[in-house]
Amino acid sequence: MTPETAERLAVGPDTRPDEVVGAVRAWVGEHVPEAWRQAAERGGAAAIRQVRSRSEYEAWYPMFGRSGLVVPTWPVEYGGLDVAPATARLIDAELRPFNLGRLNPLGLNLAAPALFAHGTDTQRRRFLPPIVRNEEVWCQLFSEPGAGSDLASLATRAERDGDEWVVTGQKVWTTWAHLSDWAVLLARTDPDVPKRRGITYFLVDLHQPGVEVRPLRHIGGEVDFNEVFLDGARVPDAQRVGDIGDGWRVANATLSGERQMVSGSGSGGVDRIGGSGVRHLLELAGGRTGDALVRHQLMTVYSEERIREWTNQRVRATLKAGRAPGPESSIGKVHQGGLNQRIQLLATDLLGLAGQAWETAAPDYAGSLPFEVRGMLRSRANTIEGGTTEVNKNILGERVLGLPREPDPWQDAAWRDVPRS
Ligand SMILES: Cc1cc2nc3c(=O)[nH]c(=O)nc-3n(C[C@H](O)[C@H](O)[C@H](O)COP(=O)(O)OP(=O)(O)OC[C@H]3O[C@@H](n4cnc5c(N)ncnc54)[C@H](O)[C@@H]3O)c2cc1C
């Protein structure tokens, strides 16, 4: 038995539900530090945050990864426990009080779906376990200055050189590239065919010559995303996912995973990006729930939040039934983007003057923003990241309402002949 298998929870597809619950409780008792457990009992997630720093959590996390509990439904050889979705729900319910958020969400939600759908077994065994343990952090090199919504027009080139590819181009908006080890990359391998047919999907080691990451500061004052310049970066052909020229199809597994993550319907533990939920609004409203206007605003977002949860349940049920989610993930994405912005604006309104003026501990502008203001500013990106609301509405118009497709006069033209800005 290797040290790794020794640390994995001894449950599998045939373990009885009560045994699973018992095994998880025993694991929590043995491995979740006592201070975190006591805080969970005392005051839930907020109390845990007070006794557990981000760096402590990151240092502890690989053990969580080795237990298989991070991704219980995944096969054992890829870092999971190979249990059924119903068992995974029991596990989730046992772990929820301890607020064990999943790290490496772009690895789990963006890289992994592409590897599962189109990778080789060798690639999955090499890359999935370190993703689960957060030992290799991932980001997504898709968008470019001239290719965002129209991603398929991307211009970064990959040229074959023996067993390797040489990559040159510029990416932008790359979330967490400055903290990442690896990236999923889309690059053009054939400029002489229509845009969607000449793209290939690669896995790129960011710690190599020819990769330069330049951080960008966003409206909230923090660095979350970056420009990434690729200048002769080398990628072994063994790190190509799917066939040459078939990268658009592979990318769709990543993009669907991203829409589910951003809409909160994914399994990566991301509920919302920016701020917190309706329960926090109730705390902020305090005694003002007797005010008819405040009550009306709270009830509106509360009802919409429930509808969002039900839509997300539909997406999860589709996934669990082994089908790819259809337009539901675009519905969830459009709804969640606007809804979270309304929730965070209401939170800032409820702060009153404190939402408009505060002491700035210069030079730490980002650190001095009230939590609600920071959430409100971050939520502005919710209708852009992971595909804009307008573009997702196009998808819904065409695929749900059956409206005519947007005309594209260059549809069959070779990529190199299409005019670009
Ligand atoms: C916070 C954040 C994080 C991000 N992280 C990443 C990341 O990690 N990796 C990555 O690759 N990308 C990332 N992105 C990029 C994101 O995917 C793009 O910003 C998005 O796809 C939009 O592209 P664009 O910014 O080029 O806007 P454009 O495509 O130039 O769009 C500009 C405007 O035109 C509208 N528009 C464009 N085309 C149409 C159309 N056909 N019909 C109607 N309206 C249209 C858009 O809705 C938008 O309002 C991130 C973005 C943000 C904001």
Side-chain angles (χ1 to χ4, degrees), residues 173-178 214-218 223-227:
W173 305 122
T174 319
T175 301
W176 301 329
H178 59 303
R214 293 190 200 161
L216 296 167
R217 203 164 287 281
H218 64 60
V223 171
D224 274 343
F225 44 55
N226 306 264
E227 295 176 294

Side-chain angles (χ1 to χ4, degrees), residues 140-143 148-149 172-175 225 378 381 384-388 390-391 394 406:
Q140 179 198 31
L141 290 171
F142 280 16
S143 304
S149 300
V172 72
W173 305 122
T174 319
T175 301
F225 44 55
R378 179 62 186 81
I384 305 171
E385 57 202 330
T388 69
E390 292 78 13
V391 166
N394 284 350
E406 246 190 299

Side-chain angles (χ1 to χ4, degrees), residues 313-334:
Q313 275 172 19
R314 269 166 52 202
V315 177
R316 284 192 208 107
T318 311
L319 288 169
K320 276 170 198 146
R323 293 192 301 272
E328 292 98 329
S329 62
S330 286
I331 295 174
K333 170 73 179 69
V334 169

Side-chain angles (χ1 to χ4, degrees), residues 8 11-15 68 71-77 79-85 87:
R8 190 184 314 125
V11 305
D14 304 322
T15 315
V71 284
T73 55
W74 287 16
V76 168
E77 61 273 29
L81 293 169
D82 206 9
V83 300
T87 309

Side-chain angles (χ1 to χ4, degrees), residues 281-310:
L281 294 181
L282 289 173
E283 287 161 17
L284 288 174
R288 283 174 288 168
T289 44
D291 179 319
L293 180 58
V294 172
R295 210 168 53 237
H296 173 76
Q297 289 172 318
L298 288 172
M299 276 313 297
T300 305
V301 290
Y302 172 81
S303 312
E304 282 201 50
E305 184 88 317
R306 293 308 307 273
I307 292 167
R308 176 179 86 96
E309 282 163 18
W310 291 327

